[in-house]
């Protein structure tokens, strides 16, 4: 039987990691009226010293996560640490009886990700993954608008910028999960086969189990879906042409999410052809800017996590299983790069 918590009872919560992304989570969690932030765990002494001057003295600042998860009355934790650390942290938290919100990707291994999903289910705890774009107003509005463009035919996305350059994972694992998660969410399906090619200029001699040929700076991905839909994604962290653009083309129009166009981040483009004597002439051209709610996606993530805890129901948007399936896709893409750019079947 699921148990629900009273909305009047604040949830005691701890945060692991107060770095680049953890700082944003800290801001949202500290401001949430239904959260009582009990502790922040951070490995950097310098960062802890800074936090001691910024945070209320009631919030414990710790360098030891094992101490944090045993604090009395703590019910949940948020994990914003490097992906390689996720498995041990999440496993320990779930075994301690805590609900978990984890930064993407869930882990770097599909089987380990599935093990965590099974552990959360066995312990009747919620495992939610911070795939932030799934909580973006434009993505939510796009999900509703997909039927209006008819039958989806193909898609394409570009995610480029000059940095930040990672040393633990390549551009694929750093960037691709955003666009793949949006395509999967909009289409209500996951890729069955994938193919990827890459190049490495900055760190060709840094290798990992997932990147035995060096950390890729640019990656081109192809995703094949069960419906026949195919998507192409261009990823690069060594390109000053900053783009955050994703498109789905249907037989009645095209839906475009362009994060770099704040005035019109979500648009629908319509048009078809008139055929006469073997010639095709464009007609019925129109562009519509779709309205989206003015909310911060990460704030929506935190609110969603609190709701999942209070209702003790799995996330319908970004559960551990959603995270596991995305790890499976990334793993297959890495395998494709390692196998000479061959098509690889995704092992869910």
């Amino acid at each position: 039987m699921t148990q629900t918590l009273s909305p009047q009872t604040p949830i005691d919560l701890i945060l692991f990691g107060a770095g680049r992304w953890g700082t944003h989570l800290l801001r949202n969690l500290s401001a949430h009226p239904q959260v009582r932030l009990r502790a922040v765990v951070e490995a950097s002494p310098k960062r802890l010293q800074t936090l001691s001057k910024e945070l209320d003295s009631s919030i414990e600042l710790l360098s030891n996560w094992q101490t944090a998860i045993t604090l009395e009355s703590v019910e949940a934790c948020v994990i914003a640490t490097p992906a390689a650390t996720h498995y041990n942290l999440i496993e320990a938290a779930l075994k301690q009886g805590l609900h978990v919100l984890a930064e993407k990707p869930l882990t770097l291994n599909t089987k380990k990700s599935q093990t965590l999903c099974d552990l959360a289910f066995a312990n009747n705890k919620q495992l939610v993954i911070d795939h932030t774009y799934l909580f973006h107003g434009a993505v939510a509005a796009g999900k509703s608008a997909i039927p209006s463009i008819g039958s989806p035919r193909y898609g394409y996305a570009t995610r480029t910028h000059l940095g930040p350059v990672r040393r633990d994972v390549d551009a694929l694992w750093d960037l691709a999960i955003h666009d793949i998660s949006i395509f999967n969410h909009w289409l209500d399906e996951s890729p069955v086969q994938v193919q990827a090619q890459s190049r490495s200029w900055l760190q060709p001699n840094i290798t990992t189990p997932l990147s035995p040929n060096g950390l890729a700076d640019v990656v081109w991905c192809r995703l094949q879906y069960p419906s026949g839909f195919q998507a192409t994604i261009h990823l690069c962290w060594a390109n000053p042409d900053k783009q955050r653009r994703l498109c789905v083309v249907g037989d009645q129009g095209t839906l475009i999410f362009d994060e770099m166009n704040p005035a019109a981040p979500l648009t629908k483009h319509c048009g078809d052809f008139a055929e006469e004597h073997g010639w095709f002439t464009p007609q019925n051209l129109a562009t519509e800017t779709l309205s989206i709610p003015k909310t911060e996606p990460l704030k929506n993530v935190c609110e969603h996590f609190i709701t999942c805890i209070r209702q003790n129901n799995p996330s319908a948007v970004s559960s551990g299983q959603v995270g596991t399936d995305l790890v499976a896709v990334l793993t297959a893409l890495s395998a494709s790069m390692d196998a000479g750019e061959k098509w690889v079947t995704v092992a869910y």
Side-chain angles (χ1 to χ4, degrees):
M1 178 183 296
T2 59
Q3 296 178 337
T4 58
L5 298 175
S6 167
Q8 284 74 40
T9 306
I11 293 173
D12 283 8
L13 184 147
I14 52 180
L15 171 65
F16 295 99
R20 186 173 65 89
W21 192 246
T23 297
H24 299 297
L25 283 161
L26 177 59
R27 170 175 52 82
N28 277 283
L29 295 169
S30 299
H32 199 293
Q34 297 179 32
V35 168
R36 181 162 52 214
L37 187 60
R38 292 286 306 282
V40 175
V41 182
E42 172 56 50
S44 168
K46 183 177 180 181
R47 182 67 178 130
L48 281 177
Q49 185 177 19
T50 300
L51 291 172
S52 69
K53 301 174 183 178
E54 298 175 348
L55 300 180
D56 189 277
S57 59
S58 64
I59 301 173
E60 293 194 51
L61 300 178
L62 304 169
S63 58
N64 186 299
W65 64 266
Q66 291 92 341
T67 300
I69 64 172
T70 60
L71 290 176
E72 186 178 357
S73 77
V74 169
E75 301 164 81
C77 69
V78 176
I79 296 175
T81 59
T85 69
H86 284 186
Y87 181 80
N88 290 338
L89 290 174
I90 297 172
E91 180 189 41
L94 291 172
K95 287 183 175 180
Q96 190 66 28
L98 305 184
H99 302 280
V100 178
L101 170 64
E103 188 182 6
K104 61 80 184 170
L106 173 51
T107 73
L108 299 176
N109 179 281
T110 308
K111 289 184 178 179
K112 286 186 175 181
S113 296
Q114 188 60 57
T115 296
L116 294 176
C117 291
D118 296 340
L119 182 60
F121 179 80
N123 286 275
N124 195 28
K125 297 301 173 183
Q126 301 312 316
L127 175 58
V128 180
I129 313 305
D130 177 15
H131 297 117
T132 312
Y133 278 95
L134 298 184
F135 298 87
H136 195 294
V139 174
K143 171 77 170 175
S144 300
I146 279 289
S148 70
I149 64 169
S151 178
R153 289 176 168 171
Y154 74 99
Y156 51 98
T158 302
R159 188 168 295 271
T160 61
H161 195 24
L162 200 62
V165 178
R166 300 277 294 269
R167 295 180 65 85
D168 56 337
V169 294
D170 60 14
L172 170 71
W173 281 83
D174 185 35
L175 303 173
I177 199 167
H178 299 305
D179 298 303
I180 299 171
S181 67
I182 296 172
F183 279 128
N184 289 3
H185 187 62
W186 280 6
L187 298 169
D188 278 326
E189 57 178 347
S190 299
V192 289
Q193 284 192 312
V194 299
Q195 185 267 341
Q197 61 185 94
S198 64
R199 297 292 182 272
S200 176
W201 299 288
L202 302 177
Q203 303 174 104
N205 297 321
I206 296 182
T207 61
T208 70
L210 290 168
S211 304
N213 300 313
L215 296 182
D217 302 305
V218 62
V219 181
W220 296 272
C221 308
R222 295 172 67 190
L223 315 173
Q224 184 69 50
Y225 286 81
S227 63
F229 183 91
Q230 189 172 106
T232 303
I233 307 175
H234 168 208
L235 310 158
C236 188
W237 59 27
N239 183 347
D241 175 25
K242 185 175 182 179
Q243 293 191 54
R244 298 282 188 274
R245 196 168 187 266
L246 180 145
C247 312
V248 171
V249 181
D251 60 3
Q252 297 177 30
T254 296
L255 194 61
I256 300 177
F257 171 34
D258 187 353
E259 195 178 359
M260 304 309 296
N261 183 3
L266 184 66
T267 53
K268 183 172 72 172
H269 300 253
C270 297
D272 53 33
F273 289 107
E275 183 181 2
E276 185 175 1
H277 305 303
W279 295 95
F280 295 90
T281 304
Q283 65 177 6
N284 301 320
L285 300 175
T287 299
E288 177 185 359
T289 298
L290 305 182
S291 61
I292 63 172
K294 301 292 184 181
T295 59
E296 182 189 357
L298 189 57
K299 181 179 180 180
N300 296 339
V301 171
C302 294
E303 185 63 40
H304 181 75
F305 180 49
I306 299 305
T307 299
C308 289
I309 294 174
R310 292 208 176 281
Q311 298 178 353
N312 202 23
N313 282 325
S315 170
V317 179
S318 192
S319 65
Q321 193 60 58
V322 169
T324 298
D325 291 347
L326 287 167
V327 170
V329 176
L330 292 176
T331 300
L333 285 165
S334 285
S336 173
M337 289 193 292
D338 192 34
E341 306 172 6
K342 294 181 180 179
W343 281 91
V344 172
T345 299
V346 183
Y348 292 109

